[in-house]
Amino acid sequence: MTNAKGRRRLPWSSPSVTVAIVVAVIVVLACAGIALVSGPLGADGATAEGGGERATPLRAQTERDGNGVRVTVTGRVRTSDGTGPAVVHVLGRTVGTSCPEPTVAGDGTIDLPPGDVRIPWRVDAGTAPGVKLPTGRRIRMVGRVVTPAAVRNLCVHVVLGGAEPGVLRSVEVAVPNLASPGPGVNSPLVEDAIVLALVVVIVVALVAGILAIGVIEARRRGSTWALPALPADVRIPDVIPADDPRADASRGRLRLRAIRERRLQRWRDKRRKAAEASGEPWDPHEKPPRRLAIWGVGDGAGRLAAERFRALRDMHPAVEALHDRRVPGPRGATIDHVFVGPAGIVVASSSRWDGFVEVRGDRLVVAGKDRSRTIDGVVGRVEAVRALLDHAGMGGLPIRGVLHCVVTEDVLLDGSLRVRDVPLLDALGTMGLAADGNVLGYEDVRRLVAALERRLPPVG
């Protein structure tokens, strides 16, 4: 990728590539965090659930608590499960096989299966294992246990005694390794919360990155969310006049055009004589300098932009616009656009450039050429409008200048580029600058527009 001067531009200098790199870094760091939390830094404990279709799942959770293990058992015994006494038993499993189903007596006691041992329980909340539970109530047992070194899993059984004793629900949960140095996350619930938060970060980063890249590319192409996309080399207008916007010139414009034609003819005669004197062939179709090509007529950007602004009128109905106005005075300066809206007054000059646009300090450079005089023109027109309003007794109102770019390439027109507080905006952003605010009411806007129409007559 190269800029207007032919110098190679780095890929990450593009805003879209920068956003993509930032999103990729966030996703990689979040994935690394998930791997660490789920692995080396994960909670030294586990959570298990089990249960039938009608029953509330039985849940058991283990986590390190100093030199012991904190065990939490939750669930519910429904009245419909049976009439016998319901009892929760917590056993330690010393062999590698899964927890076998114990034999249940009518009073809710059990016979220890081979490989199981009873675990001493210090009650922190609820009841202790082996105590009869009232049916129809939720189970919540929290206690601290010290497991033998051979115990690797805990078997939690909810049993029901009575005429038909049996096991209602069972779960098997791992015991933390107390010999480990101690992980960074001590609770499975905290581990789950951290993993969930990192997943949310990944999803938000991906969605925000996709939307940001879409907005950047849409603005670079000159399209908006409310308007159809334009070709890559055309930004404004969406509605181009059928005729040349400079064809309906007034007598004053025609007189300026005649002067321009005479100046162009003198330039061509000078170029022809210079070619003949040097013995080189003369090209009658040589492109004249820009200062001569647009002298007295302009580059047509103001009239093209006026059509674009009229097409956007429905999006900002509170904004009133004046186009192609003349400032009274001996020099006869013209103003492309004046917008009056709830946020105040916006004075905009439209420019039609081809080439890479950049800001270097307080200078505006287009295709390697200094265009800072355009910014001077915007500032001068703002001061002219401010002087007219002060003379009319309407001073103190917010007046801002904008450089409205009609055709550019590879430049963001969102206000991030600005020279001496004059932002570079597209049509939608220019009108939005006058619409986003509540400084002026409806009657104030109408009164200001009427005053400006009297003091800024149309050109021609």
Side-chain angles (χ1 to χ4, degrees), residues 31-43 185 191-192 194-195 198:
C31 291
I34 292 176
L36 287 174
V37 171
S38 301
L41 298 181
V185 178
E191 177 184 345
D192 294 343
I194 294 175
V195 172
L198 292 176

Side-chain angles (χ1 to χ4, degrees), residues 58 75-89 104-110 127-139 141 157-169:
L58 176 65
R76 186 174 183 178
V77 178
R78 298 181 181 274
T79 306
S80 58
D81 288 334
T83 57
V87 182
V88 177
H89 295 279
V104 183
D107 58 354
T109 59
I110 62 172
T127 59
V131 178
K132 297 179 181 179
L133 302 174
T135 58
R137 298 187 63 181
R138 298 185 65 86
I139 301 171
M141 300 168 54
H157 305 284
V158 179
V159 303
L160 191 69
E164 297 181 357
V167 178
L168 291 178
R169 292 177 288 282

Side-chain angles (χ1 to χ4, degrees), residues 269-282:
D269 292 342
K270 183 178 179 180
R271 292 293 298 164
R272 178 175 54 82
K273 292 178 181 180
E276 291 175 352
S278 61
E280 297 178 355
W282 173 63

Side-chain angles (χ1 to χ4, degrees), residues 223-249:
S223 59
T224 65
W225 297 112
L227 298 171
L230 299 175
D233 57 342
V234 177
R235 180 173 293 275
I236 294 180
D238 277 353
V239 181
I240 299 178
D243 300 327
D244 186 345
R246 292 165 285 182
D248 56 346

Side-chain angles (χ1 to χ4, degrees), residues 188-214:
L189 292 179
V190 176
E191 177 184 345
D192 294 343
I194 294 175
V195 172
L196 179 60
L198 292 176
V199 171
V200 171
V201 169
I202 292 175
V203 173
V204 171
L206 290 174
V207 173
I210 292 173
L211 292 177
I213 292 174

